[in-house]
Amino acid sequence: DSGTNFTKMNATVQISPAVSWAQTVGFKPPKPGWKLEHVLVAATDRWNQSSKKIPEPLPFAIDILDKEGRLLYHYSDTQLRYFTHPQGYVLADIQIPALPVNDNFFICFYGYAQVFLLTEMQNATGNSYYYDESTGRLIRAVLITHSNKTIPVNWIIRAAGE
């Protein structure tokens, strides 16, 4: 994403258009020998405190892929402890075992049409994609307006480590 503070972003929440498609962001390690330790995802399951009952557990998954599309790490869980929040979306910190990353890599978020990812609608960096798991293709992330125009967007997924 552009690094803009969430409260100042022109943003919406968006689900992936197909269950086998991930909302994906490409990254370059900041230095040689860097290790990915945290995946930060801004998302919501659309529950809010006006609801009378806690939502049902829903699955989500994260894949870390190398620049060739090979799986480096897989994580899956239910959304309750990460994306169920009284105020809507939250920046969830998913800790992973230290993963050495020496070249470009991708973080793929599978919300399975149930977890909505925060989407920045301006200042697109060109690093956000849809990843079609069935074909291995990366497709630039865009939103299509009611007038059939496309807007390039940033998925709010961040990588942190040492």
Side-chain angles (χ1 to χ4, degrees), residues 22-79:
Q23 290 157 296
T24 300
V25 177
F27 295 92
K28 182 177 182 172
K31 62 182 181 182
W34 187 77
K35 293 178 182 159
L36 177 64
E37 297 172 334
H38 302 266
V39 174
L40 304 157
V41 179
T44 180
D45 62 3
R46 293 201 141 173
W47 179 83
N48 64 52
Q49 62 192 44
S50 65
S51 301
K52 298 294 181 201
K53 70 178 208 173
I54 298 292
E56 297 294 319
L58 303 168
F60 77 93
I62 293 172
D63 285 345
I64 313 297
L65 306 178
D66 70 11
K67 69 179 183 177
E68 304 299 327
R70 292 181 294 251
L71 183 66
L72 299 174
Y73 183 78
H74 174 80
Y75 180 86
S76 63
D77 203 341
T78 63
Q79 93 293 359

Side-chain angles (χ1 to χ4, degrees), residues 101-115:
V101 185
N102 296 312
D103 208 340
N104 294 354
F105 65 99
F106 298 93
I107 297 177
C108 304
F109 179 79
Y110 294 90
Y112 302 118
Q114 302 169 103
V115 180

